[in-house]
Amino acid sequence: LNVGRKRRISKALAYQLRHNPHLPTNPQGWARLDDLLSALSEAGQPASSAELLAVAQALDEPRFEVWDDLIRARYGHTTSAPDDYAIGTPDGVLYHATASVNLRDIFQLRQGLRPMARKAVHLTTDPRTALLAGRRHGPALLLSVHDPAAHGLECRYAGGTTWLIDAVPAEALAVVPLHQLFSTH
C-alpha cells in the first residue's frame, strides 16, 4: 500500500465513519467492514478489505479502532459519536491549535473552544500533533489547558494522545508562546 493510496483510503474512511449519516453504525460508532466497503465503493473510492484493515490498524495514526469485522473512528464525528469513552485525567497539559483569526471569538468574546460542527473539542497531549491538525486551516497558534479538572472539565480519552471535552471556557486557555515550543528543558 503506497503512501498516496493509504492517505486516500484514510481520508475516505474517516469521512464515512465521522460524517456519513447513512452509514449503519451501532450506538458506540462501530460499522461493519462490509458496510464500509460498500459505502466507499458507492462514493467512487473502492478499497479491498485488506487495504481498509491495514489503514484502520496503522500504528502511526491511531484515528480508528478495529474489533473483529467492525471499525470505528475514535474522534471527529459530526454525526452520532461513540458514547463509551473512558473519563479520565490526562497526564500533563492538553493542547489545541487554532487560526489566529479565532482568537477574538475565543478570548475577547469569551466563547472559548466550542466543538462547532463536531461533537466535542479535540485536544492532545502532544503540541506537535495539535499544530499539525491546526495548520489545515492556515497558520495556527497553539493553545494550552493546564489542569482541566480545576476548571471542572470532563475529559474523555479517545485513544493515542487525543482527549475530548464538550467545550473549553476561555479562562481555562492560554496561548503558548512560540519560544516555549523550542525550549530544550
Side-chain angles (χ1 to χ4, degrees), residues 58-76:
L59 297 176
D60 61 332
E61 192 175 6
R63 296 166 49 170
F64 309 105
E65 290 180 272
V66 176
W67 183 50
D68 290 335
D69 72 334
L70 302 171
I71 300 175
R72 75 173 177 179
R74 292 182 185 262
Y75 51 84

Side-chain angles (χ1 to χ4, degrees), residues 9-111:
I9 292 171
S10 179
K11 285 182 171 230
L13 181 59
Y15 171 80
Q16 293 297 326
L17 290 168
R18 294 174 175 175
H19 311 298
N20 182 353
H22 307 294
L23 180 70
T25 60
N26 71 15
Q28 290 76 40
W30 295 98
R32 290 182 45 241
L33 181 61
D34 291 342
D35 291 335
L36 281 165
L37 291 169
S38 294
L40 289 173
S41 184
E42 288 171 18
Q45 299 175 327
S48 70
S49 57
E51 288 176 317
L52 210 57
L53 289 170
V55 168
Q57 293 173 324
L59 297 176
D60 61 332
E61 192 175 6
R63 296 166 49 170
F64 309 105
E65 290 180 272
V66 176
W67 183 50
D68 290 335
D69 72 334
L70 302 171
I71 300 175
R72 75 173 177 179
R74 292 182 185 262
Y75 51 84
H77 300 79
T78 57
T79 59
S80 62
D83 61 3
D84 62 345
Y85 294 120
I87 296 171
T89 304
D91 292 331
V93 178
L94 289 174
Y95 298 95
H96 179 89
T98 190
S100 60
V101 298
N102 296 329
L103 292 182
R104 179 177 177 273
D105 291 344
I106 292 169
F107 291 107
Q108 189 177 350
L109 298 180
R110 311 295 297 160
Q111 293 178 358

